[in-house]
Amino acid sequence: MFPPMAIASDLPPRLGSLTFHGPLSEARAGRIVARLAAVSPSTVLDIGCGWGELLLRVLESVPGSTGVGLDINAEDLARGRDLAKGRGLAGRVEFSEESALGTARGPVDAVLCLGAGQALCDPERPYDPSFVLHELRRLVRPGGRVVLGEGFWERAPTDEELAAMWPGAHAGDHLRLGPLVELAVEAGFRPAWIESASREEWEEFESGYRHDTELWLAMNPDHPLAAETRERVDRQRSSWADGYRNILGITYLTLVPVTRT
């Protein structure tokens, strides 16, 4: 006998408690937006935008600016359109369900790529942060800005710690911060600002990522989707708590392209 089909309103909730899809606080977001607004970008591109919260805040801070957010998750894009409409920005932003691989959406004045470098890469090849940085350099105009959110190892993980992370995790998945910044320089940038997420930002994100689903599981333990949802959420939580917590960092690099002669 098959379980009854779940209707949309009966499904486990997804990411409703998050403002940003990453370990980013209101205070840090405000500083990033202020630094971007100071150079008055007229065009902004958000790679792997999700619902584009930071993109919308940049547009709010720069009157007359326009933006494009690219993602392949239709649900997140719909949320972004709703947010834009509610803030009176619908006519100034496009949320497009498309791949960023080889995108011709640039060059623009400002590029955002927060935890979404993989969107610029061939999924059949190993992740290459150098390639990501060269693509971002291609997409930004002279005098523009790139804000890149990229993972890095706070310290070298042990084999035991790697085994507790995501499936197939290995030490080559990320660089240390210094070598990552050097790749940005080699790609044609100067790092105008280097910062990284705090432990508090990580905990806010990790808890918020699962918050609504945990509440749903507590209230619906016998739901037809409960078992698979519980297994997924428990695996995610363990991957963080027993694996990459205090080992994997994320840096937010504000990059300025070097003028080419």
Side-chain angles (χ1 to χ4, degrees), residues 1-232:
M1 188 174 194
F2 294 99
M5 182 177 295
I7 60 174
S9 60
D10 199 30
L11 295 176
R14 180 179 179 273
L15 309 181
S17 292
L18 290 178
T19 301
F20 303 102
H21 199 310
L24 180 64
S25 65
E26 286 283 347
R28 192 182 308 280
R31 294 191 295 269
I32 291 172
V33 169
R35 287 195 292 271
L36 289 176
V39 296
S40 300
S42 61
T43 51
V44 186
L45 175 65
D46 192 347
I47 302 293
C49 64
W51 52 87
E53 178 64 32
L54 198 68
L55 169 62
L56 295 176
R57 294 189 184 201
V58 173
L59 299 183
E60 287 176 316
S61 298
V62 184
S65 59
T66 60
V68 175
L70 306 182
D71 207 291
I72 58 174
N73 187 299
E75 182 180 347
D76 285 348
L77 293 167
R79 178 176 172 183
R81 294 185 192 104
D82 287 342
L83 289 172
K85 183 177 180 180
R87 300 182 195 183
L89 295 171
R92 293 170 51 195
V93 65
E94 174 189 357
F95 285 97
S96 181
E97 186 177 351
E98 63 182 86
S99 169
L101 181 63
T103 183
R105 290 284 192 165
V108 295
D109 297 323
V111 183
L112 308 176
C113 184
L114 302 184
Q118 70 279 358
L120 293 165
C121 298
D122 184 342
E124 301 301 318
R125 300 175 63 87
Y127 182 68
D128 183 354
S130 177
F131 179 82
V132 170
L133 284 156
H134 279 86
E135 279 294 275
L136 293 172
R137 181 64 183 84
R138 176 179 70 84
L139 292 169
V140 67
R141 289 189 179 121
R145 297 291 186 272
V146 168
V147 177
L148 171 64
E150 181 72 17
F152 70 98
W153 294 129
E154 297 272 8
R155 61 169 175 79
T158 66
D159 290 343
E160 182 180 2
E161 289 165 339
L162 286 167
M165 297 182 191
W166 51 90
H170 61 88
D173 286 341
H174 297 285
L175 300 172
R176 298 294 298 275
L177 181 57
L180 177 61
V181 175
E182 286 304 311
L183 285 183
V185 173
E186 292 170 10
F189 290 108
R190 297 306 303 179
W193 208 272
I194 302 171
E195 55 194 312
S196 57
S198 67
R199 180 169 176 170
E200 181 179 1
E201 284 173 303
W202 268 109
E203 291 177 347
E204 286 284 331
F205 168 63
E206 291 289 346
S207 294
Y209 187 85
R210 287 174 290 275
H211 176 264
D212 293 345
T213 309
E214 293 284 19
L215 295 182
W216 182 88
L217 284 169
M219 298 299 293
N220 299 277
D222 299 320
H223 189 281
L225 296 176
E228 64 182 80
T229 302
R230 189 161 43 243
E231 190 277 333
R232 172 176 53 83

